[in-house]
Amino acid sequence: MVEAMLASVAAAASFAAYAVRGKSSSLIAPSVWQGDRSKRAVALTFDDGPSESTPALLELLARFDMRATFFMCGANVRRLPIIARQVAEAGHEIGNHTDTHPALYFKSPGFIEQEIVRAQESIAQATGVAPRLFRAPYGVRWPGLRAAQQRHALTGVMWTAIGRDWKLTAPQVADIVLKGARNGAIVCLHDGRALTPTPDIRATLDAVRIIVPALRDQGFTFETVSRIL
Ligand SMILES: [Zn+2]
């Protein structure tokens, strides 16, 4: 009896964890985590920018002649509006990654709305583009997010593979991404580290230098998230 109760409590807890953070869960707010499986294409996405380190990534992507998707934080856009604009002008897609990068656990619908609307306005002001995509910080969806996404016509985007580039070395990041690559994969990397100024993104840059040629050798092209869905 007690065992059965504990088992059902554990099951409920793991179900709740899946609902909130599972990459394929749309129970709390709808999101996509994988693009069109019929296209030999991958979408690289970069979160937490813009940062002082973003221009180095822009240069690299330009050299590879490829487009990516950048999920920006509103506070970073207000700190670095010119870099935000450079990202848009280079033809990359821009998504909303909240204003100040909070985990949305236990946050009120009003708080969630403010985080989204402030980022949406700051991004539009700096780049001239209102995002159509949203990625929740830490992948955490919480009640209130569904309605906020609807109000702002935002599609939630999770990932097929996440490189953990904030803590791993470039070869380790590249290994995760190359193993996770498949048709329509959405890959999560970072050109910032939450709101930290001048973040060290060398692991990210070096991983991109490995990932792009390796996937091209396998016949993949690189697309923005909207084009891969
Ligand atoms: Zn983030």
Side-chain angles (χ1 to χ4, degrees):
M1 182 66 186
V2 173
E3 286 79 2
M5 262 178 62
L6 288 176
S8 84
V9 166
S14 79
F15 178 76
Y18 167 75
V20 172
R21 297 199 65 181
K23 69 180 183 183
S24 60
S25 163
S26 284
L27 292 162
I28 292 176
S31 56
V32 297
W33 61 279
Q34 157 83 47
D36 182 353
R37 286 184 167 86
S38 71
K39 280 205 308 202
R40 191 91 178 138
V42 166
L44 294 191
T45 69
F46 298 94
D47 293 1
D48 297 17
S51 77
E52 291 78 354
S53 310
T54 302
L57 176 62
L58 289 179
E59 215 171 284
L60 187 55
L61 298 179
R63 221 180 312 145
F64 283 127
D65 191 23
M66 57 172 282
R67 307 296 157 258
T69 303
F70 288 74
F71 288 92
M72 296 182 174
C73 292
N76 287 336
V77 171
R78 290 191 296 279
R79 188 173 92 249
L80 300 164
I82 291 167
I83 296 175
R85 172 172 285 272
Q86 284 168 352
V87 175
E89 283 175 349
H92 302 296
E93 183 164 27
I94 297 179
N96 182 324
H97 194 43
T98 73
D99 201 58
T100 65
H101 206 269
L104 297 179
Y105 290 115
F106 303 110
K107 297 297 195 295
S108 70
F111 178 93
I112 293 171
E113 167 67 15
Q114 279 308 303
E115 279 289 326
I116 288 180
V117 78
R118 291 191 71 203
Q120 200 75 356
E121 286 172 2
S122 296
I123 292 167
Q125 201 171 358
T127 69
V129 183
R132 304 298 307 274
L133 305 175
F134 172 78
R135 178 172 280 155
Y138 316 103
V140 171
R141 277 72 48 81
W142 198 252
L145 182 55
R146 176 186 294 268
Q149 281 183 201
Q150 275 170 358
R151 273 193 296 276
H152 300 286
L154 291 164
T155 298
V157 180
M158 296 289 278
W159 49 77
T160 313
I162 185 162
R164 302 170 68 76
D165 51 335
W166 63 92
K167 62 185 295 188
L168 299 180
T169 65
Q172 290 171 321
V173 173
D175 191 50
I176 292 172
V177 172
L178 295 177
K179 282 188 177 133
R182 64 176 97 143
N183 288 8
I186 298 169
V187 173
C188 179
L189 297 168
H190 296 77
D191 64 317
R193 301 287 182 265
L195 302 186
T196 309
T198 320
D200 181 354
I201 66 162
R202 281 174 296 179
T204 308
L205 296 172
D206 287 341
V208 170
R209 288 187 183 100
I210 300 169
I211 291 163
V212 173
L215 290 182
R216 281 189 169 154
D217 279 351
Q218 295 175 34
F220 287 102
T221 60
F222 293 91
E223 304 279 6
T224 61
V225 168
S226 286
R227 287 179 54 99
I228 212 175
L229 291 180

